[in-house]
Amino acid sequence: HIYNLELQTRSQLLNFCTYVQWVPNSDVVVAQNRTNLCIWYNIHAPDQITIHAIKGDIEEIERSEKGTDVIVDEGMQQAVYPLNEA
Protein backbone atom coordinates (compact mmCIF):
# COMPACT_ATOMS: atom_id res chain seq x y z
CA HIS A 1 0.00 0.00 0.00
CA ILE A 2 0.93 3.60 -0.44
CA TYR A 3 -0.45 6.26 1.85
CA ASN A 4 -1.25 9.78 0.66
CA LEU A 5 -0.60 12.06 3.62
CA GLU A 6 -2.32 15.05 2.07
CA LEU A 7 -5.57 13.22 1.24
CA GLN A 8 -5.20 10.67 4.05
CA THR A 9 -6.04 7.82 1.70
CA ARG A 10 -4.42 4.44 1.18
CA SER A 11 -4.04 2.74 -2.22
CA GLN A 12 -2.89 -0.74 -3.04
CA LEU A 13 -0.12 -0.71 -5.64
CA LEU A 14 0.33 -4.41 -6.30
CA ASN A 15 -1.43 -7.70 -5.55
CA PHE A 16 0.56 -10.78 -4.50
CA CYS A 17 3.68 -8.69 -3.82
CA THR A 18 6.67 -10.79 -2.73
CA TYR A 19 9.39 -8.10 -2.90
CA VAL A 20 9.45 -4.31 -2.76
CA GLN A 21 12.28 -1.81 -2.35
CA TRP A 22 13.01 1.83 -2.99
CA VAL A 23 16.02 2.16 -5.27
CA PRO A 24 18.71 3.84 -3.15
CA ASN A 25 19.15 7.57 -3.79
CA SER A 26 16.21 7.79 -6.22
CA ASP A 27 12.44 8.11 -6.46
CA VAL A 28 12.11 4.67 -8.08
CA VAL A 29 10.30 1.71 -6.52
CA VAL A 30 10.91 -1.88 -7.63
CA ALA A 31 8.56 -4.73 -6.73
CA GLN A 32 7.74 -8.29 -7.73
CA ASN A 33 4.41 -10.05 -7.92
CA ARG A 34 4.47 -13.67 -8.96
CA THR A 35 6.32 -13.58 -12.31
CA ASN A 36 6.51 -9.83 -12.93
CA LEU A 37 9.16 -7.23 -12.20
CA CYS A 38 7.23 -4.01 -11.59
CA ILE A 39 8.89 -0.60 -11.66
CA TRP A 40 7.49 2.80 -10.71
CA TYR A 41 9.73 5.58 -11.97
CA ASN A 42 7.38 8.17 -10.43
CA ILE A 43 5.67 7.00 -7.25
CA HIS A 44 3.39 10.05 -7.44
CA ALA A 45 1.84 8.44 -10.53
CA PRO A 46 1.11 4.89 -9.29
CA ASP A 47 -0.86 4.05 -12.45
CA GLN A 48 2.30 4.52 -14.55
CA ILE A 49 4.05 1.20 -14.07
CA THR A 50 6.63 -0.61 -16.19
CA ILE A 51 6.28 -4.40 -16.13
CA HIS A 52 8.75 -7.08 -17.25
CA ALA A 53 7.99 -10.81 -17.16
CA ILE A 54 10.68 -12.65 -15.18
CA LYS A 55 11.48 -16.31 -14.51
CA GLY A 56 12.71 -16.13 -10.94
CA ASP A 57 12.90 -13.95 -7.87
CA ILE A 58 14.43 -10.52 -7.44
CA GLU A 59 17.65 -10.94 -5.52
CA GLU A 60 18.97 -7.39 -5.24
CA ILE A 61 19.32 -3.95 -6.74
CA GLU A 62 22.81 -2.87 -7.75
CA ARG A 63 23.79 0.77 -8.26
CA SER A 64 27.04 1.74 -9.90
CA GLU A 65 28.48 4.61 -11.91
CA LYS A 66 27.21 2.86 -15.05
CA GLY A 67 23.60 2.69 -13.86
CA THR A 68 21.16 0.68 -11.77
CA ASP A 69 20.32 -2.98 -12.35
CA VAL A 70 17.77 -5.33 -10.85
CA ILE A 71 19.30 -8.78 -10.37
CA VAL A 72 16.93 -11.75 -10.71
CA ASP A 73 17.86 -15.25 -9.55
CA GLU A 74 16.67 -17.69 -12.21
CA GLY A 75 18.02 -20.82 -10.52
CA MET A 76 21.15 -21.79 -12.43
CA GLN A 77 21.82 -18.24 -13.63
CA GLN A 78 21.11 -14.59 -12.93
CA ALA A 79 19.28 -12.18 -15.20
CA VAL A 80 20.05 -8.47 -15.16
CA TYR A 81 17.35 -5.87 -15.85
CA PRO A 82 18.75 -2.35 -16.24
CA LEU A 83 16.61 0.50 -14.98
CA ASN A 84 15.92 3.55 -17.11
CA GLU A 85 17.98 6.36 -15.58
CA ALA A 86 16.34 9.09 -17.69
Side-chain angles (χ1 to χ4, degrees):
H1 291 96
I2 189 166
Y3 190 77
N4 184 321
L5 293 173
E6 185 176 302
L7 299 176
Q8 295 189 356
T9 58
R10 182 175 60 165
S11 302
Q12 184 170 353
L13 290 178
L14 193 62
N15 291 321
F16 307 106
C17 183
T18 57
Y19 177 96
V20 65
Q21 182 176 331
W22 289 96
V23 175
N25 303 315
S26 78
D27 293 328
V28 178
V29 174
V30 172
Q32 178 178 354
N33 77 334
R34 296 185 176 166
T35 59
N36 292 312
L37 165 61
C38 305
I39 306 161
W40 289 268
Y41 289 102
N42 179 358
I43 199 62
H44 299 290
D47 57 325
Q48 296 175 8
I49 182 173
T50 302
I51 300 175
H52 299 283
I54 58 175
K55 297 179 181 179
D57 293 319
I58 297 174
E59 192 171 274
E60 65 180 326
I61 297 171
E62 290 184 353
R63 283 193 74 116
S64 69
E65 292 178 8
K66 297 178 185 176
T68 305
D69 297 323
V70 178
I71 310 301
V72 176
D73 181 1
E74 294 186 339
M76 297 297 287
Q77 61 185 12
Q78 289 183 331
V80 178
Y81 294 86
L83 296 181
N84 181 356
E85 299 284 339

